[in-house]
Amino acid sequence: DAGITQSPRHKVTETGTPVTLRCHQTENHRYMYWYRQDPGHGLRLIHYSYGVKDTDKGEVSDGYSVSRSKTEDFLLTLESATSSQTSVYFCAISAFSGNPGELFFGEGSRLTVL
Amino acid sequence: DQQVKQNSPSLSVQEGRISILNCDYTNSMFDYFLWYKKYPAEGPTFLISISSIKDKNEDGRFTVFLNKSAKHLSLHIVPSQPGDSAVYFCAATAYGQNFVFGPGTRLSVLP
């Protein structure tokens, strides 16, 4: 199993509060991703990173920010959580190095915004 | 507008029979396609993939077919087993950087 740890695994918070989800990898993979999973939408990319301090937006990036100060850590921050951000969030990593590779996913973080 | 579509939200098959899951895409720049399997309360796991230069890839009970002209791929599972019951996601990528996922198909294999 790929060494990916997400924390927290479950969180309940209130509207307007900041939330940070952490993804930690031990594989030294270059690419890291944050997806959210919602019924009927599958997995949608929020942000991704292709190296330390190098990040880019995905298709549903509004309301989210990310940071990657170390290869092994990729943080997803909701500056002011809203009920529409209630979802299951998955971190993924990829060893892309010129050839398409597969994504390895963490176990997910379930966030409920009341 | 979804670039990767899985038009069947669910599928039920009898144990031992063939399961066929379908996926359509719109972006002609996609050059690599993958299938992921997801059990409840777990992260998706990689199942099988295919490059756009191929039209078939087989791994045990799982075979993926790609029809580039139709922008269509399918996953065949033969024979289907109860443990195959899960949500299956089709994914596509261009140059291996961003991975775009379909909405998923829930497969139920009935004993």
Side-chain angles (χ1 to χ4, degrees):
Chain A
D1 289 343
I4 308 170
T5 305
Q6 291 186 229
S7 59
R9 295 290 314 281
H10 301 272
K11 185 171 182 66
V12 180
T13 190
E14 294 188 350
T15 297
T17 60
V19 176
T20 295
L21 305 180
R22 179 180 182 241
C23 178
H24 178 78
Q25 62 149 327
T26 58
E27 306 296 322
N28 201 36
H29 283 353
R30 179 182 172 192
Y31 279 77
M32 298 186 75
Y33 306 79
W34 277 108
Y35 285 88
R36 59 178 288 176
Q37 184 195 5
D38 304 288
H41 293 280
L43 294 155
R44 293 182 293 174
L45 181 65
I46 305 171
H47 282 278
Y48 70 101
S49 169
Y50 44 94
V52 173
K53 297 192 187 329
D54 291 323
T55 64
D56 207 347
K57 296 179 179 180
E59 63 178 307
V60 289
S61 60
D62 287 348
Y64 302 95
S65 63
V66 290
S67 66
R68 191 166 178 201
S69 59
K70 297 185 291 185
T71 299
E72 58 265 34
D73 289 325
F74 192 32
L75 304 181
L76 177 70
T77 297
L78 292 66
E79 300 291 346
S80 178
T82 67
S83 58
S84 65
Q85 294 175 311
T86 292
S87 187
V88 181
Y89 291 85
F90 288 99
C91 175
I93 64 175
S94 171
F96 174 71
S97 59
N99 292 314
E102 61 186 85
L103 290 177
F104 298 94
F105 284 87
E107 296 189 339
S109 296
R110 181 175 293 276
L111 175 66
T112 302
V113 183
L114 303 176
Chain B
D1 187 28
Q2 286 188 335
Q3 297 185 70
V4 178
K5 303 175 184 180
Q6 295 176 256
N7 292 322
S8 297
S10 62
L11 175 69
S12 293
V13 297
Q14 288 294 132
E15 181 179 2
R17 299 290 185 100
I18 184 171
S19 296
I20 300 176
L21 294 89
N22 293 304
C23 177
D24 298 289
Y25 62 95
T26 58
N27 189 341
S28 58
M29 299 301 292
F30 289 145
D31 58 4
Y32 197 70
F33 304 89
L34 310 93
W35 285 94
Y36 284 81
K37 177 179 179 180
K38 185 183 181 305
Y39 293 119
E42 296 183 8
T45 55
F46 171 76
L47 193 58
I48 192 169
S49 63
I50 187 167
S51 165
S52 60
I53 63 174
K54 296 185 176 181
D55 54 18
K56 176 183 175 181
N57 188 27
E58 190 172 355
D59 184 1
R61 296 186 297 113
F62 304 92
T63 303
V64 56
F65 296 92
L66 175 63
N67 182 333
K68 281 183 62 178
S69 60
K71 294 191 177 66
H72 176 84
L73 62 155
S74 60
L75 174 67
H76 293 212
I77 307 174
V78 182
S80 301
Q81 300 174 353
D84 296 328
S85 296
V87 176
Y88 289 78
F89 292 103
C90 172
T93 181
Y95 314 113
Q97 296 188 23
N98 288 351
F99 292 77
V100 181
F101 285 78
T105 296
R106 182 178 301 277
L107 174 66
S108 298
V109 180
L110 308 174

